[in-house]
């Protein structure tokens, strides 16, 4: 996981920085964890890694 935030602008900024750094868009995953009245919506940005030890 790269970032988890309730702030959509932060998610977009992080995504833009990854793309500018040359990260292939096909390895990026964005999940939206839908909130309810007591829990806000959260956005999770993760990156697939073939070898997590690296």
């Amino acid at each position: 996981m790269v970032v988890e935030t309730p702030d959509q602008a932060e998610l977009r900024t992080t995504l833009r920085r990854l793309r500018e750094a040359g990260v292939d868009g096909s390895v990026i995953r964005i999940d939206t964890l839908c909130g309810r009245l007591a829990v806000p919506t959260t956005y999770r940005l993760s990156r697939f890694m073939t070898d997590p030890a690296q």
Side-chain angles (χ1 to χ4, degrees):
M1 184 170 55
V2 177
V3 69
E4 184 173 321
T5 179
D7 184 5
Q8 194 175 30
E10 181 182 356
L11 174 79
R12 286 192 303 262
T13 300
T14 304
L15 182 57
R16 180 177 40 88
R17 288 181 182 155
L18 287 172
R19 288 179 178 158
E20 289 171 354
V23 175
D24 181 9
S26 67
V27 298
I28 296 173
R29 176 178 167 158
I30 300 172
D31 295 305
T32 303
L33 309 173
C34 296
R36 299 287 184 244
L37 294 176
V39 181
T41 297
T42 302
Y43 304 96
R44 182 181 293 162
L45 178 68
S46 52
R47 177 179 173 191
F48 176 75
M49 299 181 72
T50 55
D51 185 3
Q54 290 182 340

